[in-house]
Amino acid sequence: MKTLASLMAERRAAMAGRAPPRRGPRRLPRQAEPESQRLLYLRLLRPLLRDAHAILKAELRPVLEGVRAEDAQRTDASPDGGFGRPGPTVEARAAVRRAAKQWLAEVPTPKLLRLAGVVAGKVSDFQRAQFRRVFKEGFSVDVLAAEPHLRPLVDAFTRDNVALIQSMASSYFEEVEAHLVQALTTGARAEQLAEVLQQRYSVSESKAALIANDQVGKLYGSLNKTRQEGLGITHYVWRTARDNRVRPEHVALSGKRIPWDKPPPEGHPGHAVNCRCYADPDVESVLDTL
């Protein structure tokens, strides 16, 4: 595999007898953030959640109708928590579990593998284009000639994210079941039960956004690391997203030179949950050998 130094040496040799090529900047152009890839992942996750919510509401409709009928028989003097509902509680548990099985049947693992694979491919292509651009602008060399084997990273992302999506859906059904049972046990009215469903759906939407942001950032960071090391770049400079959402500990790392084989306690950029920092290739050592 060709290193950055060898690629630049080839370029110098090819230009022998002509004006000497520039050595390149001490700092490369900034890489763009994978925002469109994060949004793509979230757009793919949302329909899965909507389907889960729709299936669940359909299964729970008879339970809610039964509770609504009981509510109509209450008098104004009846306290909301005056009685439990063992019958509807059992029915609600069964309905939620039927919904979970139906969702898994309609969203099998092969479908999720394709979804996660699309995201992984888009992130890899974007990071590849960014990597190529910054070195092309900085050194006028095409580093893709030294492209390392990245299939294991993409495959690992795909497998891990199938598990994450399935876990997200399982948590949604389990949390709905737990909150419904608690509400029914205390004699909650039908309107309160409907609120429980909507609240848990909103929580799951937030979890989906977290998965999309976090996982794309992690894959982007891993690809950046592998491509840099493939070029023989041993260190990077920590760069942040430069806004008020950056963790204080990452602000403290900003601008520091860090070896790839010795990550800081927070891990490399993109490792921490929802981290949007990135590793700027440190080309000092390469330039000093030319």
Side-chain angles (χ1 to χ4, degrees):
M1 182 180 295
K2 295 180 180 179
T3 64
L4 178 59
S6 65
L7 288 169
M8 291 190 67
E10 288 178 3
R11 177 169 164 266
R12 291 170 70 89
M15 297 185 69
R18 288 180 278 175
R22 57 190 175 92
R23 295 171 72 243
R26 289 284 170 174
R27 180 176 173 184
L28 295 174
R30 186 179 180 87
Q31 293 188 37
E33 290 188 48
E35 285 304 320
S36 60
Q37 288 69 36
R38 290 183 173 116
L39 291 173
L40 168 66
Y41 197 177
L42 185 55
R43 284 199 302 270
L44 293 174
L45 287 178
R46 279 175 172 158
L48 302 181
L49 274 178
R50 285 197 295 267
D51 289 347
H53 191 56
I55 292 169
L56 187 57
K57 286 200 299 183
E59 288 290 343
L60 284 169
R61 187 173 295 116
V63 178
L64 294 180
E65 288 175 353
V67 171
R68 195 169 285 111
E70 284 186 13
D71 290 343
Q73 299 175 17
R74 292 191 187 188
T75 67
D76 292 339
S78 298
D80 285 347
F83 58 92
R85 287 166 160 151
T89 299
V90 173
E91 293 168 4
R93 284 186 186 275
V96 172
R97 293 175 187 183
R98 285 196 304 273
K101 287 182 181 179
Q102 183 179 338
W103 184 87
L104 285 172
E106 293 184 8
V107 189
T109 297
K111 180 177 180 177
L112 295 179
L113 283 169
R114 289 192 296 272
L115 182 154
V118 167
V119 175
K122 293 291 185 182
V123 176
S124 181
D125 289 346
F126 180 77
Q127 205 284 321
R128 185 174 185 263
Q130 289 298 307
F131 202 71
R132 184 179 196 178
R133 176 184 64 81
V134 297
F135 281 97
K136 198 77 170 175
E137 291 180 12
F139 294 102
S140 298
V141 294
D142 187 358
V143 295
L144 294 188
E147 179 78 344
H149 182 51
L150 300 173
R151 191 73 241 173
L153 283 177
V154 172
D155 289 344
F157 173 91
T158 302
R159 290 192 304 272
D160 291 348
N161 277 262
V162 167
L164 275 175
I165 295 168
Q166 291 173 333
S167 176
M168 175 186 69
S170 295
S171 294
Y172 168 64
F173 288 117
E174 289 167 5
E175 289 171 10
V176 166
E177 179 180 336
H179 282 77
L180 279 180
V181 167
Q182 182 181 19
L184 285 165
T185 300
T186 58
R189 294 179 180 272
E191 293 79 6
Q192 294 170 300
L193 299 179
E195 287 176 9
V196 167
L197 290 179
Q198 189 56 47
Q199 287 169 357
R200 301 329 300 171
Y201 179 67
S202 297
V203 169
S204 292
E205 277 196 317
S206 297
K207 288 181 180 179
L210 175 61
I211 288 173
N213 290 333
D214 178 59
Q215 290 299 302
V216 167
K218 280 180 168 56
L219 179 57
Y220 190 93
S222 296
L223 292 166
N224 194 22
K225 176 180 184 291
T226 302
R227 286 183 166 120
Q228 286 188 37
E229 290 181 322
L231 284 176
I233 296 171
T234 59
H235 292 68
Y236 67 89
V237 178
W238 190 292
R239 305 293 181 194
T240 73
R242 301 182 295 189
D243 58 32
N244 58 10
R245 290 188 291 157
V246 177
R247 294 170 171 84
E249 55 269 32
H250 290 184
V251 172
L253 287 169
S254 181
K256 289 189 176 181
R257 184 174 182 265
I258 300 171
W260 276 118
D261 61 354
K262 294 180 181 178
E266 294 77 12
H268 292 307
H271 177 79
V273 175
N274 240 1
C275 174
R276 296 170 299 121
C277 300
Y278 82 99
D280 192 12
D282 178 28
V283 295
E284 292 283 339
S285 58
V286 175
L287 291 175
D288 290 341
T289 63
L290 299 175

